[in-house]
Amino acid sequence: MNMMEKMQLWQVFELEDEEMEASMHFSAPLDDGTLVDLRWIRSLTLHTLELLYLKARWETLAHLALLFNSHTRERYTHMITPILVHAQRRLLERISYFGGPPVPQPHFIKTQNLTGEKITNKNYAGRQLLNCWTPPAVPAPRRGCNTPTNPNAELLELSEVRRAMCVVCVPLDVEDTLCCFREALEKGHHTLQNFQHSRTLLLLLLAHTQPLFEVPFCKENSSKAQGHGRVDFNVTVCTAPAIGPPDLTTEDYSTLSSIYGCPLPPNQIHTVINSYSNSIQYLQANNHDSLRVQALHDLGNLHYYNGNRRAAHSYWSKAVDCALQSSGVLDSWDGVSWGTSSFQHQPTLKQAGVWGCLQGALLTAKIAQYALTSNISQRTKCCLLSAQLFKCLLRASLPHPQSDLQYSSYTVGEELVPGLDLFSEPDRGHLGTTVSSLAFLCHWLYTSGHHLTALPMLALYLHFVGTVCRDPHLTIKGRILKVKVLTELGQYCQAMKETSLMTQGEEIPLPHGCYSGMEKHATIRKFFTNKSLMDSANIQALEDLVNRRLGTEASVLYGSRLSRHLTLARVQLILALSSTIHSLPEPQDISDGAVRCSVVRRTSSTPGIPNSPPGERDSDSDKSHSGSPTREPKGLHLDPQKDKLTLSKFKALLLREVCRLLSPQLQLCLSSQLHSDPEELELAIDTYLLLSNLYLQQGKTAYSADMAVSAMSLLQNSPIILRGSPSPVHRPLSSSLRRQSRPKSEQGGMREAEHHAPSPQPGDCPQAVEARERMDRALWLRCRLAVVRSLVAHIPGTAIYPGMDSSVEATQLLKEGLQEAEVWGDPDTRALFLLQGARLDTHRGLPRENSTSLLQEAVNLLSGHSCLPPGSSVTLAQATLLLSDLRGTGSQALHLLTQKLLQQQLCVLGESVSLGERGRVILPPAPGLSNIYLPHLPLLAKATMRLGHCLAVQAMTSAPSSSLSTSSHPWECAQEVLQSALLVSQACATRDRQLEADILYCKGMVERCLMSLSDFQPQTVALTLLESINISLSQSHNLQLIRKCYLEMALVYLHQWEQSSPAPQDQQNPVPPSPPKNAILKHPGWKRIRTTLNRGLTPGEAYLLLYWVSVRAATKASEAMTTCSQLCGSTGAKGGHLPLISLKLLPEFASNDLLNPCGGIDVMVRTVSSSSPELDPGLSSRKRSQLTWVHLSRYYKHLFNLQHIAMRPVVPQCVEGLVSQSEDSSLALRLVQLQTFFCSHMVGYRETCCAPEPPTEIIMQPQIIQMCPTVRGTMGAQMYPWSFADRKQLCIQWHRPALSPTQEDTDTVMLLFGLNKVPLSAMRATACTVIELQCGQKLVSMAKLCAVHAQLASACVGGNVSSPPTASSAPSSPSPKMERQRRTKIPDKAATSSPHIQMLQEQTRCCCAAIKDLLQPGSEAAVLTEVPFEASLHSLCDLERCFNPASGAIVEGNTLITWLISLLV
């Protein structure tokens, strides 16, 4: 104090500012702690006075009180004077007791006489008293007798003590002290006195809630039996408080009751409320805004404590307006800004001040937590406002980052703002309230999906609980939540680093000012988000994540529950990484324990807990606790080369380890008291939801639904939620839970009283209360969404056992979820439900048009919000892309908007992605994207692909009809956009190979058009299409796309053959003629010419051969597609059961769909009944053994049909056959895995249902087939056996190119044909054999083609029905192999006269006439009077296959081929 007096630092209290200490703005003299912290000194002084009182050091207390009163200009006299007067009276009593001189004592009189100034309370500070003490006559002690027992020494010591007790160094004029106090009161303002009185009443009211209230000023009157400093109050002697402050001008503080007040009983709360209302009026009238903020805040707290939630909301809202010095702050806030409010244009920190922002943040957090409990959207908006105001605290100092994403790796240092103690004045900012508000805020932002906004809030929270409070448990909780937030954001590098640090027990603050340094830490391997999962460094990082366990000391520090929370966060991270692999887990032999999850059997006393999937009880599972220091004997140990690691196998191994991590967690849940402990209930629900996610990724949708329904059951039936929740969730009973429903009398009690808070429960643990608050409507919707996802993922109508249809149950649950999300104001979850509805329509086989209304509603819900979280942005992009495929007009604008939305989100997430001309995506230069795991990238690739196709269609429609002189610039723009889409797709970690195949096909079509218009290299086009074929074969088995790629490739080679031909014979004919055969055959030197022709192929002949190969490959793909559509019975699959080796390797999703009609429905039945089939693994194994090849074939055919419906274009602008157009890509993934299974276990499938191996060698190196046969030798003789024609064959294919360099008639279809007159092989072709090829194209009317095909199909059916019993019958669309086996012989002359033959000949003649009119419209040739070839049912079937616009066929038979080729050339 003396130092500060010399430095004149006390002059700040000379100011007349009444709100100086309560100001919401930074006050340099008081708040600047760089030189001296005046607030800290005030707090230190007041605590010192309290301690001196407890120790009865009255003289020191009076001395310090007088000095502090003088230095602070009596600003705190209302707190200091009562104990000062009490100390002076105690000193007077002491002087009187020891017989000391009366007041004023001699040294005061001497000082007054010498200085001429009387020592009083006001001038005591800075005055030096003069000593007038005379030593008493005491005999000196004898020499050598200085021991304590010497009587003279004891007498001297006693005399000195008595003398010291007789005099004091402080003035003891009580009346003067009271006079100064009254003068100070007269100078003070009545407004401040009113507010101080209201706050005193509030403290007394809160004191009554404590079981024992500590009153330090009653030590002398409290008995020792009552304990130190604790008394029991007699309420009868306490007078009722007044609303206004008491009149202190007559108060002399002669009794203890005048120094301290009695705690107020709860029935006095209205007095306190009225006192605050009165104070607020005075504060408002005198423009004391800073104090009015505190008063309104306190009044809102009082109303909430009293149960009036609406009044609390009102006063808290007024406090927010006052703190931010604006009006209607909450109403004008839209989640991002204040719109047109005047507050929008002012810097928040400058206008409201540091503590104004803090008060506003705390108030808005309270409003969101306690008032806005019934509307999720309003609560989220209020939380976003609170986060915005909390971020102002970070902006108060320059070193803190401005971007939210940077807080993923940023830690606030020792000081939030250098030199500023944010909590120096508890009334302006209370540390405990700030911590609790930030805890709620961080969790809600995570729950609502605003993960980016949560990052700076977590940084603030960790600073307060770690650096300021040094609470290790709260710090660990905050860091676990940070791991979850980073996981949901896709920031896996920081999430894994944070997890590793916590696992090793690093950077955990301890209460005594240091950080934990548990054990010798292992090196933390970094996970690189710019590299794939298969990178060696990332594999090692994942091994550490999975295998590393908590050490012994860390386990002790964390405790059981925090250790379990950390394990669940690790599981969530692993599952998120696993979901980035765009493939299903590779099936493994279930007998070796590869992918089992160890769980225990549920007993009937634990309702709502599902059984484990059959066959998943691992005998050697992890028995240790999640916090055990021991390392599991099993773990993730990978060697990519040795293990032949693929992404599918890697996913299966990751999911296996998740099973092992969750097994002990589930066991602990089963053994916990879920009905009495909210924290255990929360852990159980999180565990079941993670298990649901795990089973869903494994393809076990039924068990996934079981787990999700169990979480719903626990949340619905828990007595904790029904009894103690601040806002009990009104949950309509879902159809899957009706068997577990309570009586109607209990259901009626679930309605929420919107504006009444629960009575306080002092005995509640804060952690339990917080856990109970987190189990709210949002968690209920999350559980319901998990159930719906699981049921929707189940393919309905495929189970071989009777049961409830999963689609019916999913529809009901979906309807209930949509209603709940609408009533509770959650548009983000509602949009997710709508997307699940569109996916359900796909699995039900409904037309894609049925989903238009669902997708449109989802887009409308999300597009109107300005505060979309990152996850909802992805949902909006998905819905917009699917909707654009269903809308014919405006799709290009939708694609551009989707691109812009995704590009903005990527920039927010730290990626330097920009958009160029016409929507071309520009990726950052090397090293490229910093995070390839973001879900926005695949959607950006899809949007860009669709935009590129729209540009190509626009270029085609704007081109002049039948003109090749159009500009190629629009096509080049489309090609560049598609190329950028391909680069984006290839850069993703979630590399969707099916999407890449679709992009390459669209890019190949555009490049083919560019080839026709410019000098674009045809080899480049062929390689693009070939890459699409190769990807489709290995990843999606999309036979329709493979066929189209071959046909586009055929058009490329046909165009090159036309360009290389010297002079076509007929420029009028669109069909390029083959070289004139007769000119060669009739040449007199035929043998010599034939020898000459045994040479290498010219470029033109090579193009002709490649055209024939492409058409033939397309025909083979078409035949495989036809066979797949008729799979059951056509692949040699008999009705026998699957062998054991096949059952072991059967994909999980197939056995799940076939054996389980629906999941989650009979959970309650299985809970009570121990005789349920699911409880017996042996019975489940017997159920699996009942599967037959026919079951699997029908299941495959069902998936094949669903995929075909999902890929069907709705509007003409869309391309047919693209897997990426489907709402659910999992259908293609299932088909691929089933196709791999069939190829390994069914010979017939491998022979007839697989597309031919692409002729990669001859397409990539066409010079091979141009070599001389003698040079070529036997190279590739055994390659591509499908390309060998051992007899005369005619290949016919129908193709409607989605893109053309010129705008052609949309009602036409292109016929591509190729005729080899002699046996021909692609790899052993000679010039002689190639000359015999006749190839070309022809445009015909699509309507006429459909009519001809219908006529042929009708004739085939009629001929088949009317044929005699001995004759062989044929289906309308037989497979080629079956058709060759059913060839009939030529009927004899006797048979030709039968009615059946005559009718067949007449039908054939009519069909031939229609075919001739189709291929040669307007020809003047004579009308057909007889069939130009031998009429037979087989010939009709051949014609029906040839003129099927969906496929085409290979025709054999000399007369039929001769007649058809005469119509084509």
Side-chain angles (χ1 to χ4, degrees):
M1 287 186 178
N2 294 334
M3 179 192 68
M4 293 177 61
E5 180 67 21
K6 293 179 181 179
M7 299 177 64
Q8 299 182 353
L9 295 177
W10 295 113
Q11 293 181 0
V12 64
F13 292 100
E14 296 178 358
L15 301 176
E16 295 295 331
D17 188 3
E18 301 164 3
E19 287 188 318
M20 178 176 59
E21 296 180 18
S23 175
M24 297 298 164
H25 290 267
F26 177 79
S27 177
L30 281 178
D31 296 324
D32 186 5
T34 55
L35 185 61
V36 61
D37 192 343
L38 293 177
R39 296 183 188 275
W40 181 82
I41 291 178
R42 180 205 61 185
S43 300
L44 175 64
T45 303
L46 294 178
H47 283 294
T48 303
L49 291 174
E50 180 181 4
L51 182 62
L52 291 173
Y53 181 91
L54 293 174
K55 298 297 182 181
R57 301 298 179 89
W58 308 116
E59 188 173 2
T60 308
L61 187 154
H63 172 74
L64 182 61
L66 289 170
L67 288 179
F68 191 67
N69 241 352
S70 176
H71 289 320
T72 57
R73 294 6 176 211
E74 297 183 338
R75 184 175 292 273
Y76 306 103
T77 186
H78 63 285
M79 292 186 289
I80 294 177
T81 298
I83 60 172
L84 174 60
V85 171
H86 184 78
Q88 287 177 330
R89 286 198 173 104
R90 291 293 181 270
L91 289 173
L92 289 173
E93 293 175 359
R94 190 182 75 184
I95 293 173
S96 175
Y97 177 80
F98 285 102
V103 177
Q105 292 188 325
H107 49 281
F108 279 90
I109 297 175
K110 181 179 180 180
T111 303
Q112 181 180 358
N113 294 334
L114 293 177
T115 60
E117 186 177 2
K118 182 180 180 181
I119 304 298
T120 62
N121 290 334
K122 290 187 177 181
N123 63 5
Y124 174 75
R127 296 293 183 268
Q128 178 64 47
L129 289 173
L130 300 179
N131 188 12
C132 62
W133 175 70
T134 303
V138 178
R142 291 175 295 177
R143 183 173 301 179
C145 298
N146 290 330
T147 61
T149 58
N150 189 296
N152 293 335
E154 292 180 357
L155 182 61
L156 177 61
E157 182 179 357
L158 180 61
S159 175
E160 290 177 350
V161 170
R162 293 177 62 87
R163 179 65 176 169
M165 291 296 179
C166 292
V167 295
V168 293
C169 67
V170 294
L172 299 179
D173 191 347
V174 176
E175 290 300 326
D176 180 57
T177 304
L178 292 175
C179 181
C180 294
F181 173 66
R182 290 160 186 159
E183 290 178 2
L185 290 179
E186 291 178 359
K187 294 180 182 179
H189 292 266
H190 182 69
T191 301
L192 299 181
Q193 294 174 8
N194 269 281
F195 178 62
Q196 291 167 1
H197 175 69
S198 300
R199 179 156 284 170
T200 300
L201 294 180
L202 175 61
L203 293 176
L204 293 176
L205 179 68
L206 295 177
H208 194 276
T209 63
Q210 305 301 315
L212 287 176
F213 183 62
E214 184 175 353
V215 185
F217 302 138
C218 58
K219 175 183 176 184
E220 296 180 0
N221 292 345
S222 60
S223 64
K224 296 182 179 180
Q226 293 174 340
H228 178 70
R230 295 182 183 274
V231 296
D232 291 335
F233 294 98
N234 188 357
V235 183
T236 59
V237 301
C238 296
T239 59
I243 296 177
D247 185 11
L248 299 179
T249 57
T250 60
E251 181 62 56
D252 59 359
Y253 298 106
S254 57
T255 62
L256 286 177
S257 61
S258 62
I259 299 177
Y260 62 86
C262 296
L264 297 180
N267 58 9
Q268 295 293 328
I269 189 172
H270 292 288
T271 303
V272 183
I273 291 175
N274 293 332
S275 176
Y276 262 100
S277 300
N278 185 44
S279 299
I280 289 171
Q281 293 178 2
Y282 280 103
L283 292 172
Q284 186 174 6
N286 291 275
N287 295 324
H288 294 319
D289 292 334
S290 296
L291 293 177
R292 188 159 66 96
V293 172
Q294 300 177 22
L296 288 168
H297 192 166
D298 292 342
L299 186 55
N301 294 346
L302 276 170
H303 279 295
Y304 182 80
Y305 177 80
N306 195 35
N308 192 344
R309 184 177 299 174
R310 178 175 295 174
H313 185 191
S314 174
Y315 282 104
W316 284 336
S317 300
K318 293 178 182 178
V320 172
D321 292 342
C322 186
L324 301 182
Q325 300 182 17
S326 183
S327 60
V329 172
L330 288 174
D331 295 333
S332 60
W333 174 255
D334 62 356
V336 176
S337 62
W338 281 272
T340 58
S341 174
S342 59
F343 188 69
Q344 169 70 18
H345 306 289
Q346 298 292 335
T348 308
L349 185 61
K350 181 179 180 181
Q351 182 171 345
V354 177
W355 286 275
C357 293
L358 178 60
Q359 280 287 327
L362 296 177
L363 287 163
T364 49
K366 281 188 176 181
I367 291 173
Q369 184 175 5
Y370 302 115
L372 302 177
T373 58
S374 59
N375 190 289
I376 294 177
S377 181
Q378 292 180 6
R379 175 183 258 198
T380 302
K381 286 174 59 177
C382 198
C383 284
L384 290 174
L385 175 56
S386 179
Q388 179 75 12
L389 295 174
F390 268 122
K391 278 193 286 188
C392 292
L393 303 180
L394 293 168
R395 295 193 181 103
S397 182
L398 291 178
H400 303 308
Q402 298 296 315
S403 171
D404 291 347
L405 184 65
Q406 293 177 338
Y407 286 93
S408 62
S409 57
Y410 180 79
T411 302
V412 180
E414 292 296 323
E415 292 182 312
L416 180 64
V417 180
L420 179 66
D421 185 1
L422 201 61
F423 306 105
S424 58
E425 190 72 35
D427 296 332
R428 289 191 304 182
H430 193 268
L431 179 58
T433 304
T434 303
V435 168
S436 62
S437 297
L438 272 173
F440 160 76
L441 185 62
C442 292
H443 184 273
W444 184 259
L445 290 174
Y446 164 72
T447 301
S448 60
H450 292 273
H451 306 117
L452 267 177
T453 311
L455 287 178
M457 299 303 99
L458 282 167
L460 264 181
Y461 177 77
L462 291 174
H463 169 71
F464 291 146
V465 301
T467 305
V468 181
C469 299
R470 307 205 67 81
D471 189 314
H473 284 184
L474 292 181
T475 302
I476 296 166
K477 282 185 177 180
R479 292 176 67 179
I480 290 174
L481 181 58
K482 184 178 180 180
V483 170
K484 294 181 178 180
V485 169
L486 293 171
T487 299
E488 296 300 321
L489 274 175
Q491 303 295 321
Y492 301 125
C493 176
Q494 294 300 326
M496 294 182 71
K497 178 182 178 182
E498 194 72 28
T499 304
S500 300
L501 289 175
M502 282 192 291
T503 304
Q504 297 184 168
E506 293 188 37
E507 300 180 7
I508 305 297
L510 298 179
H512 304 294
C514 60
Y515 286 87
S516 61
M518 297 296 174
E519 300 157 352
K520 185 178 180 181
H521 302 311
T523 303
I524 297 177
R525 292 188 174 97
K526 182 179 179 181
F527 183 87
F528 296 92
T529 53
N530 60 344
K531 299 180 182 179
S532 68
L533 283 176
M534 301 295 288
D535 184 78
S536 58
N538 287 346
I539 289 177
Q540 293 177 357
L542 279 170
E543 288 179 352
D544 288 348
L545 175 67
V546 172
N547 299 332
R548 189 167 291 168
R549 298 292 185 266
L550 281 176
T552 306
E553 297 183 21
S555 301
V556 174
L557 176 63
Y558 290 9
S560 172
R561 285 179 180 167
L562 284 180
S563 300
R564 292 167 63 188
H565 277 293
L566 178 58
T567 301
L568 294 183
R570 289 171 56 206
V571 167
Q572 182 178 348
L573 176 57
I574 298 171
L575 287 175
L577 286 165
S578 173
S579 65
T580 62
I581 300 176
H582 188 75
S583 62
L584 298 175
E586 180 179 304
Q588 297 183 3
D589 189 349
I590 61 175
S591 63
D592 61 357
V595 283
R596 300 187 202 170
C597 184
S598 171
V599 295
V600 298
R601 179 178 296 186
R602 179 181 74 254
T603 61
S604 59
S605 63
T606 311
I609 313 297
N611 291 305
S612 64
E616 291 196 354
R617 297 178 175 88
D618 195 355
S619 59
D620 56 355
S621 62
D622 181 15
K623 304 292 183 181
S624 61
H625 189 270
S626 60
S628 174
T630 60
R631 182 180 291 271
E632 290 182 333
K634 289 188 178 181
L636 189 66
H637 304 285
L638 301 175
D639 187 347
Q641 283 75 26
K642 180 180 178 181
D643 298 334
K644 297 181 180 179
L645 196 61
T646 62
L647 283 174
S648 297
K649 186 175 182 179
F650 194 18
K651 184 169 187 176
L653 295 175
L654 285 176
L655 296 180
R656 179 198 67 184
E657 296 306 319
V658 170
C659 286
R660 288 182 175 152
L661 287 173
L662 286 178
S663 294
Q665 304 301 317
L666 186 56
Q667 294 176 16
L668 290 171
C669 292
L670 296 177
S671 61
S672 301
Q673 298 297 325
L674 301 182
H675 298 294
S676 59
D677 193 337
E679 292 183 89
E680 288 294 333
L681 179 61
E682 185 184 26
L683 276 169
I685 292 175
D686 287 343
T687 302
Y688 296 144
L689 290 178
L690 289 173
L691 279 169
S692 177
N693 185 5
L694 166 66
Y695 289 140
L696 188 61
Q697 290 197 37
Q698 287 181 333
K700 305 170 186 177
T701 56
Y703 303 118
S704 175
D706 285 348
M707 289 295 174
V709 168
S710 299
M712 287 183 70
S713 302
L714 288 176
L715 193 58
Q716 184 181 37
N717 301 326
S718 173
I720 299 173
I721 307 300
L722 300 177
R723 179 182 66 245
S725 177
S727 54
V729 179
H730 168 59
R731 299 178 294 270
L733 293 176
S734 61
S735 57
S736 63
L737 300 175
R738 285 176 184 143
R739 298 183 181 181
Q740 309 173 46
S741 61
R742 294 178 295 276
K744 292 184 178 179
S745 60
E746 297 184 21
Q747 296 178 21
M750 293 179 61
R751 300 288 181 178
E752 176 187 2
E754 284 292 329
H755 305 294
H756 297 280
S759 59
Q761 301 181 10
D764 283 347
C765 176
Q767 292 84 1
V769 174
E770 291 175 0
R772 193 168 56 207
E773 288 180 351
R774 287 194 291 267
M775 289 180 284
D776 54 2
R777 290 174 168 85
L779 182 59
W780 173 262
L781 287 176
R782 180 184 164 198
C783 295
R784 183 181 287 278
L785 183 60
V787 178
V788 171
R789 278 176 174 160
S790 301
L791 292 177
V792 168
H794 188 278
I795 304 299
T798 57
I800 62 176
Y801 292 99
M804 182 175 291
D805 188 357
S806 62
S807 63
V808 176
E809 187 64 21
T811 302
Q812 179 63 26
L813 286 169
L814 188 63
K815 181 180 178 181
E816 294 171 358
L818 289 172
Q819 293 174 353
E820 291 171 350
E822 183 178 9
V823 171
W824 295 339
D826 191 356
D828 302 319
T829 306
R830 182 174 171 83
L832 291 174
F833 277 122
L834 291 170
L835 277 186
Q836 291 299 316
R839 187 181 181 190
L840 178 62
D841 289 344
T842 301
H843 288 182
R844 295 172 64 185
L846 299 178
R848 297 180 64 193
E849 299 88 332
N850 291 20
S851 303
T852 304
S853 60
L854 298 175
L855 297 173
Q856 185 65 60
E857 184 179 357
V859 172
N860 293 339
L861 274 174
L862 298 179
S863 59
H865 290 269
S866 57
C867 55
L868 274 182
S872 295
S873 301
V874 174
T875 305
L876 177 58
Q878 290 175 339
T880 306
L881 285 177
L882 294 173
L883 183 63
S884 64
D885 291 339
L886 304 179
R887 292 178 55 178
T889 58
S891 58
Q892 184 173 348
L894 285 176
H895 298 327
L896 289 172
L897 289 174
T898 306
Q899 262 195 329
K900 187 64 176 177
L901 171 67
L902 294 171
Q903 184 261 343
Q904 291 176 350
Q905 287 295 315
L906 286 171
C907 291
V908 170
L909 292 171
E911 300 299 336
S912 302
V913 178
S914 58
L915 297 178
E917 181 185 4
R918 308 293 294 273
R920 182 171 61 91
V921 179
I922 304 174
L923 295 177
L929 296 170
S930 60
N931 190 353
I932 62 176
Y933 294 88
L934 297 176
H936 307 74
L937 293 172
L939 292 174
L940 180 61
K942 289 183 180 180
T944 309
M945 182 198 74
R946 286 167 167 80
L947 180 60
H949 178 69
C950 287
L951 292 175
V953 173
Q954 184 178 355
M956 180 182 68
T957 55
S958 62
S961 180
S962 302
S963 174
L964 295 179
S965 61
T966 181
S967 172
S968 61
H969 178 69
W971 295 98
E972 292 173 352
C973 291
Q975 193 266 347
E976 291 175 356
V977 171
L978 289 171
Q979 177 64 24
S980 67
L982 180 63
L983 294 177
V984 173
S985 180
Q986 291 173 343
C988 301
T990 312
R991 192 164 178 182
D992 189 349
R993 302 287 287 174
Q994 305 166 8
L995 174 61
E996 291 181 24
D998 294 346
I999 297 174
L1000 287 166
Y1001 171 62
C1002 295
K1003 182 169 173 278
M1005 289 192 298
V1006 173
E1007 290 175 349
R1008 179 181 60 81
C1009 296
L1010 273 174
M1011 181 192 67
S1012 302
L1013 298 174
S1014 62
D1015 295 333
F1016 200 87
Q1017 293 297 322
Q1019 183 65 14
T1020 304
V1021 184
L1023 293 178
T1024 301
L1025 295 170
L1026 177 64
E1027 188 177 357
S1028 177
I1029 293 171
N1030 287 325
I1031 294 176
S1032 299
L1033 274 176
S1034 60
Q1035 302 297 328
S1036 64
H1037 201 243
N1038 186 358
L1039 295 172
Q1040 188 176 5
L1041 182 66
I1042 293 173
R1043 173 179 176 269
K1044 288 179 175 293
C1045 286
Y1046 278 124
L1047 293 177
E1048 289 290 329
M1049 200 180 297
L1051 292 179
V1052 172
Y1053 292 128
L1054 183 62
H1055 178 269
Q1056 289 304 110
W1057 178 59
E1058 291 175 347
Q1059 296 295 324
S1060 62
S1061 299
Q1065 291 183 352
D1066 188 8
Q1067 298 290 345
Q1068 305 295 329
N1069 194 343
V1071 182
S1074 62
K1077 175 184 176 183
N1078 295 335
I1080 298 177
L1081 293 180
K1082 297 181 180 180
H1083 198 279
W1086 167 244
K1087 293 183 178 180
R1088 182 176 53 86
I1089 295 176
R1090 187 174 182 87
T1091 303
T1092 305
L1093 291 177
N1094 191 15
R1095 54 173 172 77
L1097 303 182
T1098 64
E1101 293 169 345
Y1103 289 135
L1104 186 62
L1105 177 62
L1106 289 172
Y1107 168 83
W1108 177 80
V1109 170
S1110 300
V1111 174
R1112 189 173 181 87
T1115 307
K1116 292 295 182 181
S1118 178
E1119 291 176 355
M1121 187 164 52
T1122 303
T1123 308
C1124 285
S1125 64
Q1126 303 170 352
L1127 181 61
C1128 186
S1130 63
T1131 61
K1134 305 300 181 183
H1137 299 289
L1138 271 68
L1140 181 60
I1141 184 62
S1142 299
L1143 281 175
K1144 290 180 178 180
L1145 297 177
L1146 181 65
E1148 289 287 350
F1149 65 86
S1151 59
N1152 176 85
D1153 290 342
L1154 289 170
L1155 299 177
N1156 300 284
C1158 185
I1161 305 306
D1162 300 323
V1163 171
M1164 192 62 180
V1165 177
R1166 295 202 300 271
T1167 302
V1168 180
S1169 174
S1170 60
S1171 60
S1172 174
E1174 296 299 333
L1175 292 177
D1176 188 357
L1179 181 58
S1180 177
S1181 300
R1182 289 195 295 273
K1183 288 176 63 176
R1184 288 174 62 91
S1185 64
Q1186 297 301 314
L1187 291 176
T1188 65
W1189 290 112
V1190 173
H1191 293 149
L1192 287 180
S1193 300
R1194 289 174 179 170
Y1195 179 67
Y1196 180 90
K1197 182 179 178 181
H1198 185 70
L1199 291 180
F1200 185 85
N1201 293 335
L1202 290 179
Q1203 177 73 357
H1204 181 72
I1205 295 173
M1207 294 190 306
R1208 183 180 61 85
V1210 179
V1211 294
Q1213 289 81 359
C1214 291
V1215 182
E1216 185 178 4
L1218 299 185
V1219 177
S1220 58
Q1221 288 182 352
S1222 174
E1223 196 281 331
D1224 182 18
S1225 61
S1226 66
L1227 288 175
L1229 296 177
R1230 295 185 186 210
L1231 285 171
V1232 170
Q1233 203 163 87
L1234 276 179
Q1235 190 254 355
T1236 304
F1237 176 79
F1238 283 150
C1239 287
S1240 301
H1241 299 273
M1242 292 176 63
V1243 179
Y1245 182 92
R1246 187 166 59 247
E1247 293 178 352
T1248 59
C1249 297
C1250 294
E1253 179 187 1
T1256 306
E1257 297 291 335
I1258 60 176
I1259 292 178
M1260 296 186 67
Q1261 298 178 346
Q1263 61 272 19
I1264 293 178
I1265 58 175
Q1266 297 182 28
M1267 296 180 181
C1268 178
T1270 57
V1271 177
R1272 209 183 321 163
T1274 59
M1275 182 177 56
Q1278 304 299 323
M1279 295 176 64
Y1280 319 123
W1282 55 268
S1283 65
F1284 173 66
D1286 57 352
R1287 61 178 65 87
K1288 183 178 181 180
Q1289 292 178 341
L1290 174 62
C1291 293
I1292 291 181
Q1293 284 292 301
W1294 302 93
H1295 183 43
R1296 298 188 72 181
L1299 298 176
S1300 176
T1302 59
Q1303 185 178 6
E1304 297 174 347
D1305 188 4
T1306 57
D1307 192 34
T1308 59
V1309 62
M1310 185 179 294
L1311 185 151
L1312 303 177
F1313 66 91
L1315 171 63
N1316 61 289
K1317 300 180 181 179
V1318 297
L1320 180 61
S1321 173
M1323 295 302 296
R1324 305 189 66 180
T1326 62
C1328 180
T1329 56
V1330 173
I1331 286 178
E1332 297 296 324
L1333 283 176
Q1334 281 189 281
C1335 304
Q1337 65 168 347
K1338 195 176 186 69
L1339 291 176
V1340 299
S1341 170
M1342 185 65 187
K1344 287 185 177 182
L1345 175 61
C1346 293
V1348 168
H1349 179 253
Q1351 185 177 358
L1352 286 169
S1354 176
C1356 289
V1357 173
N1360 193 19
V1361 171
S1362 60
S1363 60
T1366 56
S1368 61
S1369 60
S1372 59
S1373 298
S1375 64
K1377 183 176 180 180
M1378 297 169 61
E1379 188 60 34
R1380 286 194 294 268
Q1381 296 173 355
R1382 287 195 293 263
R1383 290 187 179 181
T1384 59
K1385 296 182 179 180
I1386 301 175
D1388 54 15
K1389 294 182 179 180
T1392 56
S1393 59
S1394 66
H1396 166 67
I1397 297 300
Q1398 292 178 358
M1399 185 182 67
L1400 183 63
Q1401 289 180 346
E1402 179 61 24
Q1403 289 178 342
T1404 305
R1405 186 190 63 80
C1406 294
C1407 291
C1408 290
I1411 291 173
K1412 183 177 180 181
D1413 181 63
L1414 173 70
L1415 298 179
Q1416 293 183 350
S1419 61
E1420 299 178 357
V1423 180
L1424 285 176
T1425 57
E1426 60 180 10
V1427 179
F1429 49 86
E1430 297 171 352
S1432 65
L1433 183 59
H1434 168 64
S1435 300
L1436 272 179
C1437 292
D1438 278 346
L1439 288 175
E1440 185 273 335
R1441 290 188 297 109
C1442 284
F1443 289 90
N1444 184 355
S1447 57
I1450 297 178
V1451 182
E1452 298 178 359
N1454 191 34
T1455 55
L1456 179 59
I1457 292 177
T1458 302
W1459 178 70
L1460 287 175
I1461 204 66
S1462 66
L1463 299 177
L1464 295 174
V1465 297

